[in-house]
Amino acid sequence: MNNGMKALAFGGLALVVMQVLPVDRSNPPEDGPLMIHDPVVADIVDRACADCHTHDTAWPWYSRVAPASWWLVSHVEEGREHLNFSTWEGQEPSRQDHKLEEVVEYVENREMPLKSYMLGHPEARITDQERETLIQWAKGLRAELGVASSGGDDEGGEEQG
């Protein structure tokens, strides 16, 4: 067997072995989710945000194939860590206010939804009008909270929303 065939065989074996390494694709129960009463906003959040920012992730087929599964699970865990609508009611109002402030910032700057997510989920693309609707909803919810924003981060310097 030549070196090229050995490398190919080794690569194939490595891919097979990777498939047995477990990844947690669970969707924990919702614990005081944010109830979105505006059906337009609810649709936008469901299409463009829910897979990474709720416990209601729709895991695609490739979430079962390593190494893509590792990246995807890590990405969803990170998204939930930064903003999780499924645990909304259990959060302090100051944290909710900060998260809504980040929603406005990331949506205005077109950092959310992520381009990498939209590649596999074209339904997550939002129009300029939907983007503005989401921004106004987040600003309105912040006003309802009535928390004066200090501009600081109560979570120690998070970088994503």
Side-chain angles (χ1 to χ4, degrees):
M1 190 183 286
N2 68 33
N3 286 341
M5 291 299 289
K6 287 180 185 177
L8 187 59
F10 179 75
L13 180 61
L15 281 172
V16 169
V17 169
M18 282 191 268
Q19 302 316 307
V20 300
L21 298 174
V23 293
D24 181 12
R25 290 181 304 273
S26 66
N27 284 334
E30 296 199 325
D31 180 32
L34 172 63
M35 302 306 292
I36 302 174
H37 302 291
D38 181 324
V40 173
V41 173
D43 175 65
I44 297 168
V45 170
D46 187 52
R47 286 185 296 114
C49 313
D51 276 345
C52 295
H53 296 289
T54 73
H55 287 168
D56 193 26
T57 302
W59 296 100
W61 66 268
Y62 53 86
S63 71
R64 290 165 178 72
V65 180
S69 59
W70 304 340
W71 176 82
L72 186 60
V73 167
S74 172
H75 185 78
V76 169
E77 287 174 353
E78 184 178 345
R80 288 175 178 172
E81 179 183 315
H82 288 287
L83 173 65
N84 191 338
F85 290 127
S86 293
T87 60
W88 188 259
E89 291 301 320
Q91 298 174 20
E92 293 292 323
S94 61
R95 179 171 167 77
Q96 291 174 344
D97 179 72
H98 178 70
K99 293 296 148 187
L100 290 166
E101 181 179 35
E102 287 183 334
V103 166
V104 170
E105 176 186 344
Y106 285 99
V107 172
E108 275 182 342
N109 293 332
R110 298 179 181 274
E111 295 175 50
M112 288 288 162
L114 293 175
K115 288 177 179 54
S116 60
Y117 180 74
M118 291 186 292
L119 285 174
H121 302 271
E123 72 280 1
R125 289 187 177 96
I126 58 177
T127 66
D128 288 341
Q129 183 175 350
E130 289 172 325
R131 190 173 300 282
E132 187 58 31
T133 297
L134 194 54
I135 290 166
Q136 292 308 315
W137 166 78
K139 286 180 177 180
L141 201 49
R142 286 188 76 201
E144 286 178 29
L145 284 171
V147 177
S149 179
S150 64
D153 183 351
D154 63 348
E155 292 299 310
E158 293 177 32
E159 295 180 11
Q160 290 189 1

